[in-house]
Amino acid sequence: MAGSGVFAEIIDGDVFNYYADGEWKKSSSGKSVSIINPTTRKVQYKVQACTQEEVNKVMEMAKVAQKAWAKTPLWKRAELLHKAAAILKEHKAPIGECLVKEIAKPAKDSVTEVVRSGDLVSYCAEEGVRLLGQGSFLVSDSFPGNERTKYCLTSKVPLGVVLAIPPFNYPVNLAVSKIGPALIAGNSLVLKPPTQGAVACLHMVHCFHLAGFPKGLINCITGKGSEIGDFLTMHPGVNCISFTGGDTGIAISKKAGMIPLQMELGGKDACIVLEDADLDLVASNIIKGGFSYSGQRCTAVKVVLVMESVADTLVEKVKAKVAKLTVGPPEDNCDITPVVSESSANFIEGLVNDAKQKGATFCQEYKRDGNLIWPLLLDNVRPDMRIAWEEPFGPVLPVIRIGSIEEGIHHCNASNFGLQGCVFTKDINKAMLISDAMETGTVQINSAPARGPDHFPFQGLKDSGIGSQGITNSINMMTKVKSTVINLPTPSYTMG
Ligand code: G3H
């Protein structure tokens, strides 16, 4: 159960504490933030509402701790990360339970998220040891006008304090995807969890605490975005921001100082289906890609662009599979579970109503009970409908029938998003040409979009983000290159 056993010290009364200077603390605000269970729509947990003064203290501690951590040998950093990964996996059940209660993720997927996170942390340790264990060596005479009088040695050094802000849909996994790279690279961390998912995040942080990381190196601040959000992201003590979430990221990037930013801000991933595609494969991937975790993934298939000649057949196949999706509470491992909040459900309903007014074909009857929305496939969607462009982040998927491949590519590229996309065809030449033409960070050929495996590069173009993630890229992003140049009195040539 949440907050019990080894996790007993992270809760005080009925409010979960925040984590700073290696200790679990109560905020001086005396206030808490409630976390609503999306299924029951009742208060499930409470977390501390931290103050700006507490943020200041945490930043100071993180700065001091980072200086010592940067001097900790790489193998030792890796050893602690491996330990944290093992503890995390050992406690997959209570952390998974938090995910079920806070974000209504199906029980099985909740546990998978924790295990995947442990694996990610271990991989960061392995990759960091190799990547940061080497630098480069340059000689000056390759540039015109120079003799070999200069040797340049480069290495990667930490940035300092990394501010990590994960989203509600992967509060554990997308937190450790920032924590792991930051720590192995010698940075300290201030983590600001999303409100929904904060308690799972706090449990995950306790696993790092139990692993024995130095005091002040990892800190986790909870509270209201209105009180500490801008204060954190604009704080002069922050040396890097890694954010995953919605368009708040655009506002953050406008306000942040001259620091490296890593942003992943959603998508409208298109699934382009050609005439020669294996339609059974497409249908399975549309179900997996469009409806897993009720469509609340930035990499979900969010619009199907299918050639008119195969559209009827494909829609029938998808309809048959939608009919088999189970709908209900996450505890029962249903395929479709309540979306994260009432406002989210209202937003999705707004998109559905707009599509209805403008004449989309409803393949199922629209049904909603509280935050639970039944899976819905909308056929014959046209570009004048909001759902053709906006991301519902829910179990509602539009199908647009296209007359040519160019039409599909045009729709995909007209989006303000550019995260991933996919193309289904048996013709690899066409697939490659379409992939090249799609303005997205990744194109999957014959499979639904997905971020993993977690060492693959992961990036969005346009409003989908800044920078590239994936373990290797994140480690690189959370370091800067430092050069030392040795100037020789006379040219020196090898064996010369
Ligand atoms: O929601 C955003 C995530 O980065 C998507 O990750 O493809 O593993 O579901 P996923």
Side-chain angles (χ1 to χ4, degrees):
M1 220 181 89
S4 65
V6 293
F7 298 106
E9 65 179 292
I10 78 172
I11 194 166
D12 192 342
D14 65 344
V15 184
F16 283 89
N17 288 336
Y18 75 100
Y19 185 68
D21 203 21
E23 285 170 21
W24 291 98
K25 301 185 182 203
K26 213 171 161 174
S27 170
S28 60
S29 72
K31 292 183 194 152
S32 62
V33 179
S34 296
I35 297 167
I36 309 293
N37 181 323
T39 312
T40 62
R41 293 191 289 155
K42 297 203 170 106
V43 175
Q44 180 71 43
Y45 303 125
K46 289 180 192 161
V47 293
Q48 301 291 335
C50 292
T51 64
Q52 295 187 351
E53 203 180 311
E54 282 155 349
V55 169
N56 281 335
K57 276 197 196 135
V58 155
M59 288 295 171
E60 273 169 41
M61 288 182 272
K63 190 174 175 179
V64 173
Q66 190 272 326
K67 298 281 177 220
W69 182 242
K71 292 180 191 152
T72 305
L74 257 176
W75 66 264
K76 183 79 192 160
R77 294 182 211 163
E79 192 177 78
L80 282 169
L81 282 170
H82 280 305
K83 206 169 162 194
I87 297 172
L88 194 57
K89 283 161 115 173
E90 194 187 324
H91 298 291
K92 58 182 191 268
I95 303 176
E97 185 202 293
C98 298
L99 294 172
V100 169
K101 303 289 182 208
E102 287 184 284
I103 61 164
K105 187 170 271 196
K108 205 161 130 270
D109 298 343
S110 293
V111 170
T112 305
E113 175 172 343
V114 183
V115 175
R116 173 181 177 182
S117 301
D119 292 338
L120 194 158
V121 172
S122 288
Y123 196 103
C124 285
E126 304 276 334
E127 183 72 347
V129 164
R130 314 258 174 279
L131 193 69
L132 302 167
Q134 50 184 280
S136 68
F137 170 59
L138 292 86
V139 288
S140 49
D141 61 308
S142 51
F143 198 89
N146 286 274
E147 292 275 22
R148 189 170 295 190
T149 52
K150 291 174 189 287
Y151 290 168
C152 178
L153 306 171
T154 73
S155 62
K156 291 187 178 119
V157 296
L159 296 175
V161 179
V162 173
L163 173 62
I165 309 181
F168 83 82
N169 62 348
Y170 283 98
V172 175
N173 185 262
L174 281 169
V176 300
S177 75
K178 304 169 193 317
I179 295 172
L183 290 179
I184 193 68
N187 300 288
S188 61
L189 264 153
V190 174
L191 177 67
K192 165 66 180 76
T195 298
Q196 305 287 141
V199 173
C201 237
L202 292 169
H203 281 70
M204 173 273 294
V205 167
H206 193 57
C207 295
F208 283 77
H209 170 82
L210 294 172
F213 281 89
K215 282 176 181 244
L217 188 69
I218 305 165
N219 307 276
C220 188
I221 283 274
T222 52
K224 291 202 170 89
S226 55
E227 176 74 17
I228 55 168
D230 277 356
F231 192 74
L232 267 167
T233 54
M234 295 167 74
H235 200 285
V238 172
N239 303 113
C240 168
I241 301 177
S242 179
F243 173 93
T244 307
D247 50 16
T248 316
I250 298 177
I252 292 175
S253 63
K254 284 183 181 150
K255 289 183 206 157
M258 209 172 72
I259 54 171
L261 300 177
Q262 186 180 51
M263 300 261 158
E264 197 240 295
L265 314 177
K268 184 74 183 171
D269 292 6
C271 171
I272 301 182
V273 186
L274 304 198
E275 281 155 335
D276 68 343
D278 174 342
L279 296 183
D280 290 310
L281 179 73
V282 182
S284 306
N285 275 277
I286 286 176
I287 293 294
K288 185 176 77 164
F291 295 102
S292 57
Y293 188 34
S294 307
Q296 297 173 108
R297 296 165 53 239
C298 54
T299 49
V301 169
K302 297 206 180 95
V303 58
V304 177
L305 301 162
V306 56
M307 291 295 284
E308 180 67 63
S309 59
V310 291
D312 284 344
T313 315
L314 180 66
V315 166
E316 279 313 310
K317 285 180 188 290
V318 178
K319 258 169 83 172
K321 288 184 187 294
V322 167
K324 290 190 184 141
L325 291 172
T326 54
V327 182
E331 287 84 354
D332 293 353
N333 264 319
C334 290
D335 299 311
I336 303 295
T337 54
V339 295
V340 72
S341 64
E342 192 176 340
S343 62
S344 180
N346 291 344
F347 176 78
I348 297 163
E349 189 162 290
L351 294 180
V352 170
N353 288 340
D354 175 79
K356 186 165 198 136
Q357 272 168 24
K358 292 173 182 161
T361 307
F362 279 51
C363 298
Q364 298 79 22
E365 193 192 336
Y366 172 66
K367 206 172 151 194
R368 172 181 171 186
D369 179 9
N371 295 351
L372 187 61
I373 292 178
W374 270 249
L376 178 62
L377 189 71
L378 297 173
D379 195 4
N380 294 303
V381 165
R382 289 189 322 266
D384 64 327
M385 299 175 190
R386 286 176 57 203
I387 192 103
W389 306 104
E390 296 179 41
E391 51 171 351
F393 236 68
V396 179
L397 183 60
V399 176
I400 298 180
R401 293 167 174 240
I402 52 173
S404 67
I405 296 173
E406 289 69 27
E407 203 184 315
I409 293 170
H410 176 76
H411 187 93
C412 167
N413 292 351
S415 169
N416 59 320
F417 291 114
L419 189 59
Q420 293 208 355
C422 56
V423 52
F424 285 85
T425 172
K426 294 194 185 95
D427 185 334
I428 189 66
N429 296 327
K430 275 190 189 158
M432 287 308 297
L433 292 172
I434 293 170
S435 169
D436 284 347
M438 287 169 80
E439 292 169 7
T440 63
T442 303
V443 175
Q444 305 267 351
I445 296 173
N446 291 325
S447 186
R451 171 168 50 109
D454 290 329
H455 66 306
F456 278 18
F458 179 54
Q459 54 279 317
L461 308 184
K462 300 188 269 186
D463 286 353
S464 286
I466 304 173
S468 181
Q469 300 178 64
I471 292 170
T472 313
N473 286 345
S474 291
I475 294 173
N476 279 325
M477 184 267 172
M478 291 177 185
T479 59
K480 55 191 160 199
V481 174
K482 170 80 193 283
S483 303
T484 300
V485 181
I486 300 168
N487 290 275
L488 303 171
T490 52
S492 173
Y493 287 89
T494 314
M495 311 291 172

